[in-house]
Amino acid sequence: MSATDPSRLIVVVGATGNQGGGVIRALLDSRTPDGGLWHVRGLTRDPNSTKAQKFLTDHQTIDNRLSLVTGNVYDRPSLQSAFAGAHGVFAVTSETQTGRILEKEEEMKHEIDAGRNMVLAAEACRVRHFVFSSLPDMVEATGGRYPNIHHMNNKHEVEKIARERLSGVTCLIPGFFYTNLRWPQYSDRRSDGVVRFRIPIPGGQVTQWTDPIHDMGIFAAKVFNMGVEKTHGKTYLVLSPRVTTDDMVATFTKVTGQPAIHDPISAEEFGEMTAPFVGPAFKQDAQDMMEWAAVAPADRICYGAFTEDQDRSFEELGLKASSFEEWLRRSGWTGPA
């Protein structure tokens, strides 16, 4: 087969981000359903940027199966050009929008616009397999109690658009990202060296987490490797075992040898500290997310959106997301500076 055989070409959106980069690495290390090798076309706003060029240099294969192309999720023609001739697309959206501070809640809908553009471009290019990084409908999951967790609801809306328009869709749902622990609203270090986990939920409340690089990468690659016929219409939960914050604190000390405590901030303070990453429109969104996380039913999984028997990821894919200890040892994270 030729190197440009479309049955072996996957386009990955957000190539230099955590999820996109992880998917690219996993695809390049895995096999197509017929035992061949994947060719990957990474989508980025500027393939000539220093970051993009370093990524290409660091991950290029000896047979040059990785390329980077220009594409913008708000520019559908650029997406159609990037998706042309591809068998599959890994799509991801973000609540942030480069160069823009979101002031009003309705501005958060830019994420739906980006997702719709990717879906319509995939439809126009007859992409056979569309794998999307989604999240649950939190209006339904919370019984209408927290309707303003927009960054999650918007991803769910994109998922619905994809399932309505495309014939081959598989969704992956992650938990909280371990990498967010590097942010000050999740953890900091006291002057005496003690690491404080600031997550605003009770110490005994369970949560689930995901390594956005490793876990999302291996799950997406496995879905593509199994093929659209076996995974179409499925949703796979990329979730760690349920873990309490108290357990995470103990595990951190065991792995790193450093003292740590759980000293939570309020959900309101969490929202205030998170908003600068997106804009004032994100404050209530982040606050509501953590208020719900603090009370989500312990007998349900994935932000309280699913029952445990709905998670068939291990049964069908043979994969489990990383535990906190596995992520600590893999990443080498030893707490904030």
Side-chain angles (χ1 to χ4, degrees):
M1 291 189 178
S2 106
T4 57
D5 181 353
S7 69
R8 293 188 176 180
L9 176 61
I10 304 293
V11 177
V12 176
V13 176
T16 61
N18 281 341
Q19 292 190 64
V23 172
I24 288 174
R25 287 191 282 272
L27 282 170
L28 292 174
D29 287 340
S30 61
R31 294 276 177 171
T32 65
D34 64 359
L37 296 172
W38 290 114
H39 290 255
V40 180
R41 185 183 292 162
L43 187 72
T44 182
R45 286 190 305 275
D46 182 7
N48 296 314
S49 70
T50 301
K51 182 179 181 181
Q53 285 298 303
K54 183 178 187 307
F55 182 87
L56 183 62
T57 299
D58 289 347
H59 299 98
Q60 185 60 275
T61 61
I62 58 173
D63 50 354
N64 295 312
R65 288 184 287 115
L66 173 62
S67 62
L68 295 181
V69 298
T70 302
N72 188 314
V73 294
Y74 303 102
D75 176 13
R76 196 184 308 166
S78 76
L79 294 175
Q80 288 186 203
S81 177
F83 293 177
H87 164 76
V89 167
F90 174 80
V92 61
T93 60
S94 174
E95 58 269 17
T96 62
Q97 189 173 6
T98 302
R100 185 181 178 196
I101 299 297
L102 305 180
E103 301 285 348
K104 300 177 181 179
E105 288 186 356
E106 55 264 31
E107 294 177 316
M108 296 286 290
K109 292 184 178 180
H110 76 85
E111 191 169 358
I112 300 176
D113 296 335
R116 182 182 292 107
N117 283 338
M118 287 186 281
V119 169
L120 295 179
E123 182 180 43
C125 294
R126 298 182 180 180
V127 169
R128 291 198 63 221
H129 201 176
F130 190 86
V131 178
F132 179 60
S133 177
S134 189
L135 283 171
D137 177 352
M138 296 308 291
V139 177
E140 179 179 351
T142 67
R145 183 173 172 181
Y146 291 101
N148 298 316
I149 310 177
H150 301 296
H151 78 284
M152 301 180 79
N153 297 333
N154 290 342
K155 290 177 178 66
H156 183 72
E157 185 63 29
V158 174
E159 175 184 330
K160 290 197 296 183
I161 294 169
R163 294 198 188 280
E164 289 168 0
R165 307 279 315 208
L166 304 175
S167 60
V169 177
T170 309
C171 291
L172 303 176
I173 297 184
F176 292 105
F177 287 155
Y178 290 125
T179 49
N180 289 354
L181 290 169
R182 298 186 172 101
W183 296 354
Q185 66 269 40
Y186 283 85
S187 73
D188 66 11
R189 188 182 296 273
R190 295 191 322 202
S191 59
D192 62 0
V194 173
V195 172
R196 297 190 297 185
F197 285 72
R198 311 307 310 277
I199 308 162
I201 60 174
Q205 173 74 341
V206 295
T207 51
Q208 290 177 285
W209 297 73
T210 303
D211 181 344
I213 302 170
H214 177 267
D215 295 339
M216 293 299 285
I218 63 170
F219 270 71
K222 186 59 178 285
V223 166
F224 282 122
N225 296 345
M226 287 180 63
V228 64
E229 294 81 5
K230 293 182 179 179
T231 62
H232 163 59
K234 302 291 184 66
T235 294
Y236 296 109
L237 307 184
V238 189
L239 301 172
S240 73
R242 284 176 286 189
V243 62
T244 67
T245 310
D246 287 347
D247 288 339
M248 293 177 74
V249 168
T251 298
F252 176 83
T253 296
K254 181 183 76 171
V255 173
T256 69
Q258 299 185 60
I261 59 171
H262 181 216
D263 182 18
I265 58 178
S266 68
E268 182 177 6
E269 187 177 358
F270 182 90
E272 291 172 349
M273 294 178 70
T274 304
F277 292 92
V278 181
F282 196 54
K283 178 181 180 299
Q284 194 65 50
D285 182 322
Q287 178 178 331
D288 284 4
M289 175 182 68
M290 283 305 180
E291 286 187 2
W292 171 247
V295 299
D299 62 345
R300 294 180 69 85
I301 62 173
C302 192
Y303 312 99
F306 295 88
T307 58
E308 193 165 6
D309 61 1
Q310 289 177 290
D311 182 10
R312 304 181 67 83
S313 299
F314 183 74
E315 180 180 341
E316 296 187 10
L317 302 182
L319 296 174
K320 293 183 179 179
S322 305
S323 69
F324 183 46
E325 180 170 347
E326 288 169 334
W327 178 76
L328 283 173
R329 296 189 185 281
R330 181 189 307 118
S331 68
W333 187 68
T334 56

